DNA sequence: GTCTATATACAGATAGAC
DNA sequence: GTCTATCTGTATATAGAC
């Protein structure tokens, strides 16, 4: 049994990725773990504390996955495939990226959480740029790494959004094909 | 003076594109046009009626813009630029695509509105495919039109999302550059 | 068409007992 | 830590008067 705070975070994460910010109400969470909503406030005094915990948790998990990819001895193509596979996993589970979802409802976040969100996207792009620069010999296009990083990430986030509405994975698949075509 | 229903729709559209679904509450709208929330129900019996009106209005405006592009005598490059310019306009005004926003909160929509949303994206892709096929001689890549259409649209939707968080237009700019590089 | 009044539900949040 | 109880705010929605 994990501790209750962790349990609450995990549940809130599920709900948020499926139902947006409205899916992480203190009452719903309380019901699901079998306590009262006032007790949830013990762990997360304000809603923004919960939102922050989720962004940090999602971000930590994501960059842990990137670390694994970075420390492998795979070639660029396989590394990019592994990067895209993180998003394919989200799509397969009919979820959204937590941060993509929050980006759509950013007006509900306080300044600190907004800047966490901004950093999340920037750091992913930074990681991608480094990956592409370190393997420039395997990149088939003249387009700068910064541009490839930005369009790859934005396209994956958009694909998650649109594919969930359509109930398929066509756009994420297309995005994968397009960017793999730019790599040896 | 436009009629009140139209005024309500226009305001709801603004709010929704800036603040998400929570931005289109009947009370807020009522306050803004100077009537009571119960009077808003006269025009839109239920919230889903308002949501539907917005999707249809946004969709109609969008495809009217596509018609103009289609009926021009521009070459492919200029037409694609004009297509992307629709999204640049949204970004410049710090807004989201209405349908992109709703895609992020799709669990709040009823079945009918979900299918309107799905059709919106599918029809844009269809329009793009036709554009690319009709001008295949100006397309620099072997990638099929269907794939280009899907990645262009998803990338623009994602770019709107991420750029608004960052407060700039870097991703939309990158998306433009990438896809113009595929065209003569 | 617009109003007042109201029903009902749910949100975030806090005080204070145990 | 968790509870009960409660406050406050807001949401959608409806009945019925004018």
């Amino acid at each position: 049994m994990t501790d209750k705070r962790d349990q609450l975070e995990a549940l809130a994460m599920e709900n948020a990725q499926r139902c947006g910010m409205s899916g992480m109400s203190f009452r719903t969470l309380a019901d699901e773990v079998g306590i009262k909503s006032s007790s949830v406030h013990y762990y997360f005094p304000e809603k923004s504390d919960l939102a922050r915990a989720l962004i940090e948790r999602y971000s930590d998990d994501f960059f842990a996955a990137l670390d694994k990819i970075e420390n492998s001895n795979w070639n660029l193509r396989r590394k990019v495939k592994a990067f895209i596979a993180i998003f394919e996993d989200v799509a397969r589970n009919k979820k959204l990226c937590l941060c993509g979802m929050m980006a759509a409802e950013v007006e509900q976040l306080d300044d600190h959480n907004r800047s966490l969100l901004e950093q999340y996207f920037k750091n992913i792009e930074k990681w991608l740029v480094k990956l592409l620069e370190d393997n420039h010999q395997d990149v088939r296009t003249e387009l700068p790494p910064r541009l490839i990083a930005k369009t790859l990430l934005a396209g994956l986030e958009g694909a998650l959004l649109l594919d969930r509405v359509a109930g398929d994975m066509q756009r994420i698949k297309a995005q994968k094909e397009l960017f793999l075509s730019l790599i040896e």
Side-chain angles (χ1 to χ4, degrees), chain A:
Chain A
M1 266 301 170
T2 53
D3 76 344
K4 200 141 281 185
R5 185 192 162 94
D6 190 80
Q7 207 182 333
L8 283 165
E9 279 183 19
L11 258 169
M13 186 74 79
E14 271 290 312
N15 295 349
Q17 287 187 256
R18 289 189 200 280
C19 304
M21 303 271 283
S22 64
M24 39 189 272
S25 94
F26 279 34
R27 293 203 185 169
T28 307
L29 288 176
D31 287 348
E32 286 174 323
V33 307
I35 58 176
K36 293 294 168 182
S37 73
S38 52
S39 303
V40 180
H41 282 278
Y42 170 78
Y43 299 98
F44 309 99
E46 297 183 22
K47 180 112 192 216
S48 60
D49 298 306
L50 174 58
R52 174 173 171 176
L54 292 194
I55 298 172
E56 285 171 349
R57 186 188 176 105
Y58 195 83
S59 194
D60 287 349
D61 289 351
F62 196 94
F63 287 100
L66 296 195
D67 268 350
K68 270 201 182 173
I69 297 172
E70 194 170 354
N71 296 328
S72 73
N73 55 1
W74 299 339
N75 63 12
L76 179 63
R77 189 176 185 82
R78 183 139 179 222
K79 283 181 173 173
V80 169
K81 271 189 185 174
F83 174 80
I84 294 172
I86 302 175
F87 293 82
E88 287 176 317
D89 239 43
V90 175
R92 205 172 296 114
N93 294 309
K94 314 272 184 204
K95 293 196 278 191
L96 284 185
C97 164
L98 179 87
C99 296
M101 177 280 287
M102 285 192 174
E105 307 188 51
V106 73
E107 66 293 329
Q108 291 178 47
L109 300 177
D110 61 24
D111 283 347
H112 182 256
N113 282 332
R114 277 181 212 204
S115 96
L116 285 181
L117 214 57
E118 191 182 341
Q119 279 312 306
Y120 171 80
F121 295 123
K122 287 213 169 122
N123 286 334
I124 296 176
E125 288 169 352
K126 206 158 135 188
W127 184 89
L128 280 172
V129 167
K130 186 179 180 304
L131 178 69
L132 294 164
E133 283 174 345
D134 289 350
N135 296 273
H136 64 274
Q137 76 284 356
D138 289 342
V139 178
R140 273 203 197 118
T141 168
E142 300 289 295
L143 294 166
R146 232 179 112 266
L147 190 145
I148 302 176
K150 282 187 190 303
T151 52
L152 175 54
L153 179 60
L156 287 170
E157 292 288 350
L160 283 181
L161 223 61
L162 273 52
D163 275 349
R164 201 178 54 149
V165 172
D168 57 35
M169 292 181 61
Q170 286 185 33
R171 291 161 190 93
I172 233 182
K173 202 177 153 193
Q175 183 78 352
K176 184 180 183 179
E177 216 171 314
L178 169 60
F179 282 83
L180 286 180
S181 81
L182 303 179
I183 284 167
E184 214 59 53

